[in-house]
């Protein structure tokens, strides 16, 4: 299943014209694969544990292949995003926090010069929202980004 996702992402997202477009499209793709957007106050009510337990029982293992998941929260989504991003050469990090929080950070250049097409440097760090508003990019130094990292 993961291989099929890699092939689909390579075919549909990799050809997009900019890194920003690729990141946004990949975030939306990952969110769709793992249950869609979740309202901020509903994360605790989002059902993912039962399905994960069923997979563990079915495989008789504590190892759950990421491609088998149909729903997931922060850390499931961040792991899948990282795995797929690496396959299509989107540079990102996988960051881990407390209480099952995880997120991805990407470096993106803003505002390409219209005459030369050369982007501004240095690139700026953004956190990719994979849960609440999939595809939203938050500068790492903003209150929204800090809130995304915490309960």
């Amino acid at each position: 299943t993961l291989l099929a996702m890699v092939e689909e992402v390579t075919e549909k997202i990799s050809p997009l014209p900019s890194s920003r477009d690729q990141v946004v499209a990949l975030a939306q793709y990952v969110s769709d694969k793992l249950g869609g957007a979740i309202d901020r106050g509903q994360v605790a009510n989002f059902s993912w544990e039962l399905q994960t337990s069923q997979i563990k029982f079915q495989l008789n293992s504590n190892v759950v292949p990421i491609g088998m998941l149909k729903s997931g929260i922060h850390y499931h989504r961040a792991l899948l995003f990282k795995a797929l991003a690496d396959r299509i050469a989107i540079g990102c990090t996988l960051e881990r926090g407390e209480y099952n929080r995880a997120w991805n950070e990407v470096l993106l250049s803003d505002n390409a010069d219209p005459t030369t097409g050369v982007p501004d440097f240095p690139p700026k760090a953004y956190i990719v929202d994979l849960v609440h508003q999939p595809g939203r990019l938050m500068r790492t130094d903003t209150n929204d980004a800090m809130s995304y990292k915490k309960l």
Side-chain angles (χ1 to χ4, degrees), residues 8-89:
E8 186 176 0
V9 165
T10 301
E11 180 183 307
K12 294 180 179 176
I13 295 174
S14 187
L16 294 176
S18 71
S19 294
R20 181 178 299 270
D21 293 339
Q22 291 173 341
V23 168
V24 169
L26 184 58
Q28 292 166 345
Y29 178 86
V30 166
S31 177
D32 290 345
K33 290 295 182 187
L34 293 178
I38 307 168
D39 291 332
R40 187 167 294 281
Q42 296 301 314
V43 173
N45 299 328
F46 186 74
S47 177
W48 60 272
E49 292 102 339
L50 179 60
Q51 184 219 8
T52 303
S53 295
Q54 289 172 335
I55 293 171
K56 288 179 179 181
F57 180 77
Q58 174 189 353
L59 298 177
N60 196 26
S61 172
N62 281 334
V63 177
V64 177
I66 191 76
M68 290 183 76
L69 294 176
K70 301 294 180 227
S71 63
I73 56 174
H74 293 83
Y75 65 97
H76 305 107
R77 294 172 189 224
L79 180 61
L80 182 58
F81 184 91
K82 175 65 174 160
L84 294 173
D86 284 352
R87 294 302 302 226
I88 61 171

Side-chain angles (χ1 to χ4, degrees), residues 54-130:
Q54 289 172 335
I55 293 171
K56 288 179 179 181
F57 180 77
Q58 174 189 353
L59 298 177
N60 196 26
S61 172
N62 281 334
V63 177
V64 177
I66 191 76
M68 290 183 76
L69 294 176
K70 301 294 180 227
S71 63
I73 56 174
H74 293 83
Y75 65 97
H76 305 107
R77 294 172 189 224
L79 180 61
L80 182 58
F81 184 91
K82 175 65 174 160
L84 294 173
D86 284 352
R87 294 302 302 226
I88 61 171
I90 294 174
C92 76
T93 62
L94 174 62
E95 306 289 332
R96 291 182 57 184
E98 298 175 339
Y99 304 108
N100 296 326
R101 290 288 194 224
W103 60 90
N104 302 100
E105 291 186 15
V106 295
L107 290 176
L108 297 172
S109 297
D110 291 328
N111 306 324
D113 183 330
T115 57
T116 64
V118 176
D120 288 344
F121 285 100
K124 295 171 183 65
Y126 291 88
I127 290 178
V128 183
D129 187 341
L130 301 169

